[in-house]
Amino acid sequence: MAGQALLTLGPVLFNWPVEKWADFYARIADEAPVDRVCLGEVVCSKRLPFYNDVISEAVERLEAAGKEVVLSSLALITLPRERKAGAGLAKDEEHVIEVNDLTMLRYLEPGRKIAVGPLVNVYNEGTLSWLAGRGAKHVCLPPELPIASVESLAKAGAALDLDTEVWAFGRVPLAISGRCYHARIHKVSKDSCQFVCGLDADGLPVKTLDGGDFLAINGVQTLSFAYGSALGELDILTQAGVNSFRLSPHDCDMVAVAELYRQRLDRKISGDEAQANLAALLPEAEFANGFLFGDYGAEMVKKAERQVA
């Protein structure tokens, strides 16, 4: 791959207090070795008013630190207020908009430079080509794709002058719904939810009937229980043509996480050492890379067992 791979920090998917949200981006601006930062509300439009007034301050600080800022759209636009918010977001012509729901394209002029988030189903070269024709210059592929598919799409992306990104860290987004699981579990309605999703800074773990760890819920979003980690596969993925890796914010030391990924991309540490250090940073977390090998997504495929799917 020509040039150094980039690190992208995805948007905060969880309902964090505004002070925590602002402090998080201030530290990312000052300390994290990431090249691109996506920020904005992706999961639930009801959360946005809590921190909408501090977004511009975060953007200014990130850009002053030399980081590219991308503004992320909602993943499911259904209500009038959400359509209005999407139209308002599109009016910001100074920044690239990350499309997480194709409804956003209604508000973006054809040919305007855009990014495409991992919640949009980009599974083949035809879709990638269509999005490039619509203005896409940066596409984060869905995290469930195996390496062989990623390689095919990265090759097609290079021909289209488009950056190809993969999910490299964090609980994997699996689904988005019109129903709020957090509200239901706390026996409140979605309209009067009391923002109970804010009780779980990294999502609420869900167990099977047998007591096994299964998923995590984040309001209307379903995530994997395990944290996706591509630390051991960064070499394979860069060789496949991937030129950007996405780190999804969690309630942990994300500066240290970003530093591990940068050290690995710079070949200063091995994949095994990097993964061991990541496990030490998040001692209670389980990690998975199964999707990349065409295996169960929740599996952590060990080096000796790897076969590129």
Side-chain angles (χ1 to χ4, degrees), residues 122 124-129 132 136-139 141 149-165 240-243:
V122 182
N124 56 59
E125 294 88 336
T127 302
L128 199 65
S129 178
K137 293 294 183 182
H138 166 220
V139 174
L141 299 175
S149 297
V150 169
E151 183 172 16
S152 296
L153 290 168
K155 182 178 179 180
L160 295 164
D161 191 27
L162 182 152
D163 285 346
T164 305
E165 181 173 286
V242 174
N243 42 25

Side-chain angles (χ1 to χ4, degrees), residues 35-51:
D35 306 283
R36 181 188 291 125
V37 178
C38 304
L39 72 166
E41 184 54 50
V42 173
V43 176
C44 178
S45 61
K46 291 178 66 176
R47 301 173 181 174
L48 183 57
F50 288 107
Y51 63 89

Side-chain angles (χ1 to χ4, degrees), residues 4 13 35 40 50 54 56 66 73 82 92 120 133 157 171 191 197 265 276 279 299:
Q4 186 181 49
L13 298 177
D35 306 283
F50 288 107
V54 299
S56 60
S73 78
E82 294 166 350
D92 186 331
V120 176
R171 281 183 162 156
D191 290 339
C197 54
L265 287 170
E299 293 295 314

Side-chain angles (χ1 to χ4, degrees), residues 61-72:
R61 187 158 179 169
L62 288 162
E63 290 181 334
K67 293 168 172 54
E68 177 188 356
V69 172
V70 175
L71 300 180
S72 298

